[in-house]
Amino acid sequence: MPPFISFEGLDGCGKTTQVRLLADYLTQRDIQVAVLREPGSTPAGEWIRELLLGSLNKELDPLSKLLLFYTDRNQNLHKKIIPALSEGKWVLCDRFADASAAYQGYGLGLDLALVETLDRMVIHGRKPDVTVLIDIEPSLARSRASDRNRRSEARNRQSPQLSLPFLGDNDDRFEAEFLRFEAESLDFFRRVREGYLQIAAREPNRVRVLNGSQTIEQLHKEVLGLISPFLPGNRCDGVE
Ligand code: TYD
């Protein structure tokens, strides 16, 4: 069975870039990859994403959010992750269940036992083979988010003709990320970070912590180091 790899970290930690770099690396080596994200990935999941990350978000209490994240996860697991693995594809997922424990449990203060119950109901112990946790100080994540947002606003003011589809995507993402930082306190992100680190301390064989303040290239090299046991020709018994 090919590996199931999730990427986690605070908003702005750079995980989406690392997912793309790893997907490119694997594709160039003729390895088939399914790149997924949570929330999202399935049609219902993308709709749930809109609900969770759009303006209606304010109406949702923490438990409603948690249930929606798990509804999305259930869809993703059965419609995308399991089928992709059975077809022999590597699965790279931008966030998975650890995000619910970190954000809704540690961050928003929901009972962690509730998150564990949902894990048992929905993922049945189907945890990723490796979780790449890109660890970053909340203050650095926030300053990256506001820099990126300022740069994309300035670009749009100076050269509106530059709003090509791919730039538009990024600009929307940067703005959404910036607004999430504005909506939550730095303390919230400190709790989320602490939560992720506690999960990593409990499951050190699965959750590998990388320093997110390094350059994109350095991080990519470290990610390759983590996944190398799964590459064809290598033994993968070093990773649970
Ligand atoms: P992300 O996909 O990282 O956003 P983007 O693609 O815009 O960088 O994350 C979306 C947000 O959803 C992020 O703030 C974390 C949050 N989230 C949770 O709170 N719980 C979850 O279970 C998941 C999957 C995400």
Side-chain angles (χ1 to χ4, degrees):
M1 195 61 106
F4 168 22
I5 303 169
S6 66
F7 286 74
E8 298 281 358
L10 296 186
D11 302 68
C13 69
K15 67 190 161 40
T16 307
T17 305
Q18 293 301 325
V19 171
R20 285 185 192 153
L21 287 172
L22 179 57
D24 288 349
Y25 174 91
L26 295 171
T27 309
Q28 279 161 17
R29 276 152 192 80
D30 293 328
I31 295 173
Q32 284 196 302
V33 191
V35 177
L36 304 170
R37 65 171 180 179
E38 289 196 0
S41 298
T42 63
E46 290 297 332
W47 185 83
I48 292 171
R49 184 179 178 94
E50 280 296 310
L51 186 58
L52 277 164
L53 306 182
S55 54
L56 274 179
N57 165 296
K58 289 186 233 55
E59 289 188 24
L60 300 169
D61 72 19
L63 179 59
S64 303
K65 285 186 188 168
L66 182 71
L67 295 172
L68 283 167
F69 279 119
Y70 272 91
T71 305
D72 165 69
R73 189 157 298 134
N74 192 46
Q75 290 294 114
N76 192 23
L77 191 63
H78 294 287
K79 304 265 182 203
K80 295 285 181 176
I81 297 176
I82 295 174
L85 292 170
S86 331
E87 286 165 19
K89 294 181 181 156
W90 286 45
V91 169
L92 309 186
C93 199
D94 192 335
R95 299 194 186 281
F96 191 63
D98 298 315
S100 293
Y103 277 80
Q104 281 65 55
Y106 290 92
L108 291 179
L110 283 181
D111 188 351
L112 285 168
L114 182 59
V115 181
E116 281 162 19
T117 303
L118 287 168
D119 268 355
R120 274 197 299 279
M121 285 171 63
V122 173
I123 69 171
H124 305 288
R126 238 179 204 280
K127 291 196 175 178
D129 298 291
V130 179
T131 294
V132 179
L133 171 57
I134 302 182
D135 180 49
I136 184 177
E137 284 272 347
S139 51
L140 176 59
R142 169 180 258 175
S143 73
R144 278 187 186 171
S146 66
D147 281 358
R148 288 201 288 228
N149 188 50
R150 251 200 317 275
R151 277 204 304 274
S152 76
E153 276 178 1
R155 209 169 34 236
N156 282 340
R157 262 199 312 278
Q158 283 164 12
S159 331
Q161 76 276 17
L162 273 184
S163 50
L164 298 166
F166 70 93
L167 282 180
D169 272 349
N170 268 347
D171 285 352
D172 288 350
R173 239 169 30 83
F174 296 158
E175 190 188 4
E177 185 184 271
F178 173 68
L179 293 176
R180 284 202 293 272
F181 271 102
E182 293 294 285
E184 299 287 356
S185 66
L186 218 45
D187 256 0
F188 168 79
F189 288 101
R190 286 195 189 105
R191 290 196 298 276
V192 175
R193 180 190 188 204
E194 188 48 37
Y196 271 131
L197 292 175
Q198 288 197 24
I199 298 169
R202 274 200 307 272
E203 295 180 71
N205 288 331
R206 174 177 69 87
V207 185
R208 307 300 183 94
V209 186
L210 300 185
N211 175 358
S213 64
Q214 307 176 77
T215 64
I216 290 175
E217 292 74 22
Q218 282 168 332
L219 256 178
H220 177 53
K221 271 198 195 136
E222 294 201 355
V223 171
L224 292 184
L226 290 184
I227 60 91
S228 64
F230 293 101
L231 289 171
N234 289 350
R235 287 165 57 85
C236 67
D237 50 3
V239 181
E240 270 183 15

